Amino acid sequence: MSAAWAVVDAYVDAHLIAEDDALAAALDHNEAEGLPPIDVSPAQGKLLRLYARMIGARRILEVGTLGGYSTIWLGGALPADGQLVTLELEPHHAEVARANLARAGLADRCEVRVGPAVDSLGAMIAGDEGPFDLVFIDADKPSNVAYLQAALILTRPGSLIVVDNVIREGRILDSASTDPSVVGTQALFDAVAAEPRLDATAIQTVGSKGWDGFLLAVVRG
């Protein structure tokens, strides 16, 4: 990672992102509880919040909670009667996230569900819990295609699907890679490219989190 990238991120944060006690406390709590520091950056979290506001999202689905840092960013865009469902595999992570969401005043509109996300998504589809206006996918990369397929069922025309970590420091170009995260992300690109219901692009990002990127897809009408 270039040192300049982190410095630029700090400049952006200082000028455009207001200090938020709940977000800062969430990161502190995550560290104290031993969670890995793999949350989105503040600038990326603010971007997610702006996306949710731009489309007027009232119902958001997140795949991959960790300690709820990105959940707080997304939940902050919801109206008082909005709903966010976030899916987390690890019970300890979910417990930490629930505490962070409660501290942020979002416990009434953000629900953390525990278990393999594929199973949770299957139950949501069976329960006809869609449609969601925005889906943010940031979990295990080998399951990206399964998450995408579920998201297509749980969304509507005009919904936005955002997938994190899709550039992987350029390793996405390595056709011989055996890294499951790279292979899973390459499969995601292939699936999106072949899916007529999606209008998509991907954007590279650099910053305090290194070189990576987001895939953005709108469900066609």
Side-chain angles (χ1 to χ4, degrees), residues 76-172:
L78 289 171
D81 61 347
Q83 179 193 29
L84 186 153
V85 177
T86 182
L87 310 179
E88 174 54 45
L89 174 65
E90 300 293 340
H92 178 59
H93 294 178
E95 179 183 355
V96 172
R98 290 188 183 109
N100 288 334
L101 290 164
R103 188 184 302 108
L106 293 170
D108 63 330
R109 69 198 77 169
C110 295
E111 178 188 358
V112 183
R113 299 186 187 179
V114 181
V118 169
D119 294 344
S120 297
L121 290 165
M124 295 176 73
I125 292 168
D128 195 23
E129 293 192 38
F132 289 88
D133 306 307
L134 188 154
V135 179
F136 178 48
I137 299 172
D138 188 13
D140 63 300
K141 311 313 172 188
S143 300
N144 268 339
V145 172
Y147 298 151
L148 175 71
Q149 291 170 343
L152 280 167
I153 298 171
L154 290 165
T155 50
R156 56 166 177 77
S159 293
L160 174 64
I161 300 172
V162 182
V163 187
D164 197 9
N165 307 129
V166 300
I167 302 301
R168 313 205 65 79
E169 298 184 337
R171 293 194 299 274
I172 192 68

Side-chain angles (χ1 to χ4, degrees), residues 10-101:
Y11 179 91
V12 171
D13 294 351
H15 282 76
L16 301 178
I17 301 175
E19 293 185 11
D20 186 299
D21 291 343
L23 286 165
L27 291 180
D28 289 343
H29 189 206
N30 290 355
E31 181 179 7
E33 292 294 329
L35 273 62
I38 55 174
D39 310 273
V40 297
S41 71
Q44 291 168 343
K46 182 68 174 291
L47 180 67
L48 292 172
R49 181 173 289 181
L50 291 175
Y51 282 148
R53 285 182 171 162
M54 282 188 285
I55 66 171
R58 302 183 66 85
R59 303 190 74 231
I60 297 174
L61 172 61
E62 180 181 48
V63 183
T65 314
L66 195 61
Y69 182 74
S70 57
T71 319
I72 294 171
W73 276 113
L74 287 164
L78 289 171
D81 61 347
Q83 179 193 29
L84 186 153
V85 177
T86 182
L87 310 179
E88 174 54 45
L89 174 65
E90 300 293 340
H92 178 59
H93 294 178
E95 179 183 355
V96 172
R98 290 188 183 109
N100 288 334
L101 290 164

